[in-house]
Amino acid sequence: MKPNAMLMTATLIAAAMPMSAIANDLRVNPYLQNPSSDGMYFTWFTESATPGVLSITGGGLSSPLQFSSTPMAQPVLAYTTAEKNQNLGGLVQGSWLLGDTPHKHAVDVRGLQPGTTYGYTLTQGAQTFSSTFSTAPTRADWSSIRFVAFSDSETDPAGRVSRREWQPGALAPTSLDRPALAGSQWATSFGTTGSGVNQTLRYALTETEGYRRNLAIIDSRNPNFVVMPGDLVQGGGYQPGWDEFFRHNAGEYDDVLSKRPILPALGNWENFAAINGGYGTDADGRFGPKFARDKYHAYFDAPGNGTEAHTDNYYRVDYGPVTIITLDSSKGVPEDRRANYPAAERLTGQQYTGPGTDTQENYTVAQYESAGGTDLSPFNPGTAQWNWAEAQLADARASGQIVFVQWHHAPFSDGEHGLPMNHVNSSGQGGTPMRVYHDMLEQYGVAAVFSGHSEMFERSFVDNNGDGFGVMYYDVGVAGDGLRGERRNGNGFAAPLLDYNPFSQWSADQSAPEQWGLVDGVLQLVDGGKHYGHLEVNLERVEGDGPFYAKVTLTPVYSFPLLDSSYQLIDTERRVYGDEITLFVNAAGQVVAVPEPQTWAMIVGGLGLVGFTAARRRRI
């Protein structure tokens, strides 16, 4: 843990609770981090400096374990003048703001039994909060594990009243046309955005409602943990964005992270300060990227990585037989920017000359360090992060773990950020530089990589050495913000697809065509299309002496809105896209070949062949 987190680690109670706290002292309910087979890390925030009491019960404990927290003031989380004065259309000015002196509490609970469910109660002054959590199983003793991966929630208070762009994708052959941009009931009810050939409908749900409904589905599936590869908030340096994130995940909207741990990664928005300077410096002299990353560090305490200045940026968590390795794709060296390439030399169309070295042109290392920042961790070969990643992958493989990796910038993408810096249509924030990790990931048998950034749902498969065993790459940027489609080769949504990513196997934009039809005389979306969603990953242990140790099923899930004839929301429904993939791993944790159907049926009988056809087609 980083030093200030160690200072806040709770000690076993020896005395009664001190003076009572103010009413409604809890600012953020307890949320969970750093799961292991013997414990969990609890974090919560209060308005006052009053210690809290955390009580743990169950799991063979003869009496409750009780811990007292040490509150630590977090001045970096105080509201700025710009935030206090901000007006958001449709909301009462300042109604989203909380207190201005948040205090952090952290309790690191260890010494518990593996694979066991416990109850816990936090007493914070006159308030109490109760929930449950489960420790991770051991690698030797587990039967099933479920986790969810999604990103780009990009929360902020304005999301309560705003609906995002809903870019048109493929239409099913039997579908009616999408609602018209002018005069249709959809356009009248939800609005449009953009203009001319770039005009598009807005989505039926607000960002807040979409994210809430997505989280509700996740909660109903009771995953063991949640993986979030970046862009958690609409500006890491924007405090109301963080407040809204925790309202969703450990507050008044829901308590998903109060019951299961989060494994987060830094995204480009966690390097951006929004109205507090953006990627530059605000009126009060704050350098936006440092201010944003400082807030991220205040909220998350990751396991150490051997480089103290890089704590929280990249880390490893083992959950039974599963290893999750998190990397920071925020900054590369040598630094690069679009302006380095003369217009006449920039790539066009599908041209590609290499991944490049940097994922963003918005600020430099020199600017960051001149503002006092010391925590940047470039990802390129030879850097501390690179060397750490290789060492962790080698160790996980030697230990027989099933390995997954996450970072924010999708290296293989047909979306907005899928182009390298030297392309004429580059966003200046392309994820292609992270392709430099592929050979390492393939060498060590990584099952899948989770990213976001392009705000779409896409799966790619890369097998550089052609042996049939490559790496699955998922862009899971559909948590609750934009609903973008594949990049077009020209202006407007009628232009042909650019198809820049030759490794793409599936996307919700093109592989799940919208099916529109008349329901009670009203044009409704019946199935398909782009929606808020997530990737559900299920691991099942395979018993017996056969060649398979575990089955891994990756299921793309979407939250489908059901509307009445007036386009009022009735409910949302959990649906599964038709790209469910099943992988099989051996005792070494590596993906192995699937035999012919008749042979496989004799080996595992009733385990099922969900995703078998797709897997074989892609030589997994």
Side-chain angles (χ1 to χ4, degrees), residues 192-495:
T192 66
T193 184
S195 61
V197 294
N198 293 308
Q199 185 182 13
T200 185
L201 299 171
R202 291 188 184 273
Y203 193 57
L205 275 60
T206 65
E207 296 171 74
T208 293
E209 190 66 31
Y211 189 37
R212 288 179 67 174
R213 297 280 179 157
N214 200 3
L215 287 172
I217 292 173
I218 292 171
D219 199 24
S220 73
R221 300 289 291 173
N222 196 26
N224 295 100
F225 58 91
V226 175
V227 172
M228 294 195 74
D231 279 10
L232 282 64
V233 294
Q234 195 80 8
Y238 178 55
Q239 188 55 43
W242 286 112
D243 295 339
E244 204 73 0
F245 179 81
F246 286 107
R247 284 189 180 101
H248 278 284
N249 290 285
E252 61 186 279
Y253 296 162
D254 211 330
D255 60 355
V256 172
L257 299 183
S258 296
K259 293 176 283 191
R260 54 192 64 85
I262 179 175
L263 281 63
L266 284 154
N268 60 290
W269 280 100
E270 280 74 55
N271 288 260
F272 180 76
I275 64 173
N276 299 311
Y279 288 116
T281 302
D282 72 359
D284 294 323
R286 301 180 190 87
F287 183 59
K290 181 182 182 301
F291 187 48
R293 289 173 70 98
D294 284 349
K295 285 180 181 283
Y296 180 90
H297 292 309
Y299 281 113
F300 301 111
D301 299 314
N305 54 36
T307 302
E308 187 174 330
H310 295 174
T311 304
D312 305 334
N313 298 357
Y314 50 93
Y315 59 94
R316 170 180 171 177
V317 169
D318 288 342
Y319 196 96
V322 174
T323 290
I324 305 289
I325 292 176
T326 298
L327 300 182
D328 178 9
S329 60
S330 300
K331 190 63 183 164
V333 291
E335 296 179 284
D336 203 3
R337 53 199 306 245
R338 288 173 292 184
N340 290 341
Y341 304 95
E345 299 176 13
R346 294 180 188 175
L347 306 180
T348 60
Q350 296 179 336
Q351 293 177 325
Y352 176 78
T353 56
T357 61
D358 197 357
T359 54
Q360 63 91 16
E361 64 177 9
N362 305 97
Y363 68 88
T364 66
V365 173
Q367 288 174 318
Y368 194 86
E369 293 179 346
S370 68
T374 60
D375 66 305
L376 286 186
S377 48
F379 54 77
N380 315 77
T383 62
Q385 181 173 197
W386 173 278
N387 294 337
W388 175 88
E390 186 163 30
Q392 297 306 310
L393 286 166
D395 180 78
R397 177 53 48 239
S399 301
Q401 294 291 98
I402 305 169
V403 184
F404 300 90
V405 177
Q406 68 161 334
W407 64 67
H408 182 61
H409 296 74
F412 304 97
S413 172
D414 267 324
E416 177 72 15
H417 300 297
L419 304 174
M421 200 74 77
N422 63 341
H423 196 283
V424 67
N425 291 322
S426 171
S427 66
Q429 294 188 349
T432 56
M434 295 303 291
R435 294 185 182 187
V436 71
Y437 277 91
H438 174 77
D439 287 343
M440 181 194 299
L441 304 181
E442 188 170 338
Q443 175 188 348
Y444 290 108
V446 169
V449 174
F450 311 120
S451 301
H453 198 38
S454 283
E455 298 178 6
M456 60 183 295
F457 218 156
E458 183 177 19
R459 178 179 64 84
S460 301
F461 178 67
V462 186
D463 172 20
N464 271 359
N465 62 18
D467 66 353
F469 301 98
V471 180
M472 290 287 183
Y473 289 86
Y474 282 89
D475 184 335
V476 292
V478 287
D481 192 53
L483 290 165
R484 294 173 176 163
E486 294 191 18
R487 190 89 185 228
R488 301 279 171 170
N489 190 19
N491 197 27
F493 296 114

Side-chain angles (χ1 to χ4, degrees), residues 29-32 42 54-58 117-123 128-134 219 222 249-250 254-261:
N29 293 337
Y31 58 98
L32 310 181
F42 295 76
L54 182 71
S55 178
I56 310 291
T57 59
T117 298
Y118 292 86
Y120 73 90
T121 296
L122 170 65
T123 302
T128 61
F129 178 87
S130 297
S131 190
T132 61
F133 72 97
S134 297
D219 199 24
N222 196 26
N249 290 285
D254 211 330
D255 60 355
V256 172
L257 299 183
S258 296
K259 293 176 283 191
R260 54 192 64 85

